[in-house]
Amino acid sequence: MGRDRKRRKVDVPPVPDGVGGKAFGDAVRVSERLRSRVLYANPVCLLCTRGRGEGARANVMTISWLTCINNNGVFFMSMNEHRASAGNVYDAEGDAYFADAEFVLNVPVQGAEALLRRVGGETGKEVDKFGTLGLKRTAPGAWESPATCDGDLALDHPLVVAHLACRVLEGRRGHGHHLLTCEVQDAYVRARYWAGDTFRPTDPALPPYLTFFGAGVFGGAAPGLLPGAPQPGAAGEPVPAAEAAGEPSS
């Protein structure tokens, strides 16, 4: 069942936006109008949720079934209803989604494939994945933080390059999944992966973030067209008006 929710923002320190974001330590805080761009390429993510109810625990799962709905951070996400994380966003007794169902999408890069398989191979119903896998939690944007807080949901991991603090707006059950409309409330990207106004490696030598083919097979998502074709936005190449305005060109 979906229910209208009052918009509620994450309590974060006010940081003014620049052209595409504001430097915040080693991270860039992405401006609100560009938050959806972190999800444009449908990167594989590690989704972290808080535990609900007595005996429930925070959990982390691998997810890639998500896509943008608009350029203002609203996106669609499909989550198998049998996953342990589902119980942290959906109240089965009340047959409704928790009004404060918040989570963090952590975007890893190439080199994290073994971690992603281990996360997917464990169940949060039986083990504390954070402890078992040695995953340190931190506040969004706070990489290499000396402090660890069990209430935080962002991952302080060298192969995680983006944190998106999100909430569930509404949802419904269908086809064995929770079909969720969600909103990015805040987003941080490691500076070396934010190229002015797009989420991509700033150096070709940097590992790309990942896409998923199924059957445990991952691939890299990196910018580039067919050999010999010009890259839009490169020197001397005009950017389509729709894209410049924030909308993907048709």
Side-chain angles (χ1 to χ4, degrees):
M1 296 175 62
R3 298 189 298 182
D4 292 335
R5 310 254 186 240
K6 183 178 179 180
R7 292 174 64 90
R8 183 166 59 88
K9 295 295 183 183
V10 173
D11 184 17
V12 294
V15 180
D17 293 329
V19 175
K22 176 68 177 179
F24 194 71
D26 183 39
V28 172
R29 188 182 185 193
V30 180
S31 63
E32 184 173 359
R33 67 183 179 85
L34 296 176
R35 289 173 186 166
S36 290
R37 293 194 179 186
V38 185
L39 298 177
Y40 269 12
N42 298 92
V44 175
C45 295
L46 290 165
L47 181 149
C48 296
T49 53
R50 293 186 178 88
R52 295 283 181 171
E54 185 177 355
R57 59 168 62 94
N59 194 43
V60 54
M61 65 173 284
T62 302
I63 196 163
S64 61
W65 288 1
L66 44 84
T67 192
C68 298
I69 293 176
N70 64 19
N71 273 302
N72 300 316
V74 179
F75 65 97
F76 170 82
M77 181 172 71
S78 177
M79 179 189 295
N80 190 303
E81 64 182 16
H82 298 298
R83 298 286 184 255
S85 296
N88 292 341
V89 299
Y90 176 72
D91 179 6
E93 293 186 3
D95 190 24
Y97 294 91
F98 292 112
D100 58 346
E102 296 176 347
F103 58 94
V104 171
L105 292 174
N106 300 270
V107 184
V109 295
Q110 184 181 26
E113 294 91 331
L115 173 62
L116 291 166
R117 293 188 186 99
R118 289 193 66 191
V119 169
E122 302 276 1
T123 172
K125 297 176 182 178
E126 299 176 357
V127 299
D128 172 10
K129 292 188 188 181
F130 296 102
T132 300
L133 301 177
L135 295 173
K136 178 185 174 184
R137 286 186 273 172
T138 187
W143 279 276
E144 301 176 16
S145 171
T148 300
C149 178
D150 289 341
D152 290 326
L153 298 174
L155 296 178
D156 189 356
H157 192 284
L159 293 175
V160 168
V161 300
H163 296 150
L164 294 91
C166 311
R167 70 179 182 123
V168 175
L169 295 176
E170 60 185 8
R172 65 183 179 87
R173 297 172 66 189
H175 312 288
H177 286 70
H178 292 290
L179 309 177
L180 306 171
T181 300
C182 308
E183 177 187 43
V184 179
Q185 298 180 281
D186 206 12
Y188 294 86
V189 174
R190 298 300 290 257
R192 58 187 179 273
Y193 280 85
W194 188 252
D197 58 2
T198 55
F199 177 45
R200 57 189 173 93
T202 57
D203 186 324
L206 290 170
Y209 46 88
L210 299 166
T211 188
F212 185 60
F213 292 98
V217 178
F218 295 93
L225 300 175
L226 295 173
Q231 176 73 50
E237 291 294 331
V239 177
E243 176 71 11
E247 290 286 347
S249 56
S250 58

